[in-house]
Amino acid sequence: MTYTCAVFPTEDATLEEAQDYKYDLVCRKLGLKEGDRLLDLGCGWGGMVRHAAKHYGVKALGVTLSREQATWAQEEIKRQGLDHLAEVRHSDYRDVPETDFDAVSSIGLTEHIGVDNYPSYFAFIENRLRPGGRMLNHCITRHDNQGRASAGAFIDRYVFPDGELAGSGTIVRAVEDAGLEVQHHENFRVHYAKTLAGWSKNLADNWDACVAETDEGTARVWGLYMVGSRIAFERNEIQLHHVLATKNDDGESGYPLRHEF
């Protein structure tokens, strides 16, 4: 139930191991520790929220526009006995009233924000962080900062309506213009190609069950989308970037002299 790029610690790691490693890497980049407060924007099925609560003792709040995701995630949080630490809320991220979070994670949401909304999006994140807090933005990007933002007619109609992609430089500029200091910037392009290969194999291996869950047309659309996206990542037509930044207090970022993740 994880819907974003995995990070493979080794070439032979399974998709499940790589997804778990992805969440743990985000936690380590954010410097999470017991008692911290985390806000996860566009939290999906709550994977990041649960990982941070279970393995780092973090008080984690996730928000999603999908009522189905929020309901499933809350049930899974309760099933795992994490409801004293974790919450997934059915909400627009802009309606979150809480502030002074130690960390904000955004994993696979920026693609849906729209390039014109980057300034207000990262300004919202800056406003929700405490001084010294950290932000990690994980999103699909263009290989340059000059191409069109639209994901294309097929994807726009059948997969991600109104999704937009920009180069990582555009992301970095928007983060910095919001008053945050970029500390680290990393490309996971080849990891997304491997993730899509795993998803495609899962679809093929479970074809009849997937068709029964939806219909053959939907299964074919998603199969085509995943194969095409894998090729695009392999050819460096699109990428996946982490941008890690801090909210400083009179120049004090709380960031170590060297990265510790």
Side-chain angles (χ1 to χ4, degrees):
M1 302 299 280
T2 292
Y3 194 31
T4 48
C5 175
V7 177
F8 290 79
T10 61
E11 284 287 345
D12 60 352
T14 67
L15 179 59
E16 291 75 19
E17 289 169 342
Q19 291 289 14
D20 190 64
Y21 186 85
K22 180 266 298 293
Y23 286 131
D24 202 69
L25 178 61
V26 173
C27 288
R28 286 183 279 123
K29 285 186 172 184
L30 289 171
L32 295 180
K33 61 186 183 301
E34 187 172 358
D36 280 353
R37 296 173 63 237
L38 168 71
L39 173 61
D40 187 38
L41 304 176
C43 67
W45 306 99
M48 177 65 190
V49 167
R50 293 193 305 277
H51 189 97
K54 181 177 181 178
H55 298 285
Y56 289 82
V58 168
K59 183 78 171 179
L61 169 64
V63 292
T64 173
L65 284 176
S66 167
R67 188 180 300 277
E68 291 81 2
Q69 286 182 336
T71 299
W72 188 93
Q74 278 297 107
E75 291 173 353
E76 185 65 13
I77 286 169
K78 186 174 183 178
R79 188 188 72 81
Q80 294 190 21
L82 298 171
D83 40 331
H84 63 299
L85 289 174
E87 175 191 356
V88 169
R89 189 179 297 170
H90 176 226
S91 169
D92 189 305
Y93 77 88
R94 291 167 293 191
D95 294 332
V96 173
E98 294 93 334
T99 59
D100 292 321
F101 287 94
D102 298 283
V104 174
S105 55
S106 173
I107 304 175
L109 177 61
T110 317
E111 299 91 330
H112 306 282
I113 292 296
V115 177
D116 289 345
N117 296 318
Y118 284 0
S120 60
Y121 176 62
F122 290 111
F124 169 87
I125 293 175
E126 192 275 342
N127 181 261
R128 290 307 184 273
L129 282 170
R130 66 163 176 79
R134 298 186 190 183
M135 176 219 73
L136 188 288
N137 194 77
H138 162 131
C139 72
I140 302 171
T141 54
R142 295 286 182 196
H143 71 284
D144 61 31
N145 295 280
Q146 302 172 21
R148 56 180 170 77
S150 170
F154 176 82
I155 293 176
D156 198 46
R157 178 172 179 178
Y158 293 107
V159 185
F160 293 125
D162 301 321
E164 290 189 345
L165 304 179
S168 65
T170 304
I171 300 288
V172 168
R173 181 177 64 186
V175 170
E176 292 175 338
D177 286 351
L180 299 166
E181 181 180 12
V182 172
Q183 301 287 356
H184 191 262
H185 179 193
E186 187 170 5
N187 184 6
F188 290 97
R189 174 179 66 84
V190 296
H191 293 263
Y192 218 154
K194 285 177 67 64
T195 301
L196 285 155
W199 286 343
S200 295
K201 184 178 186 304
N202 283 345
L203 177 60
D205 290 348
N206 300 277
W207 180 257
D208 291 342
C210 291
V211 171
E213 183 75 17
T214 56
D215 56 69
E216 185 171 353
T218 300
R220 287 184 178 275
V221 163
W222 281 86
L224 180 61
Y225 159 70
M226 290 191 294
V227 170
S229 295
R230 175 186 177 182
I231 292 171
F233 280 106
E234 289 176 344
R235 292 179 175 177
N236 193 31
E237 295 172 4
I238 48 178
Q239 302 175 344
L240 187 290
H241 278 88
H242 278 190
V243 175
L244 175 64
T246 53
K247 177 176 179 175
N248 295 357
D249 183 15
D250 291 329
E252 293 295 327
S253 68
Y255 203 77
L257 288 174
R258 294 295 302 154
H259 312 305
E260 296 176 345
F261 45 84

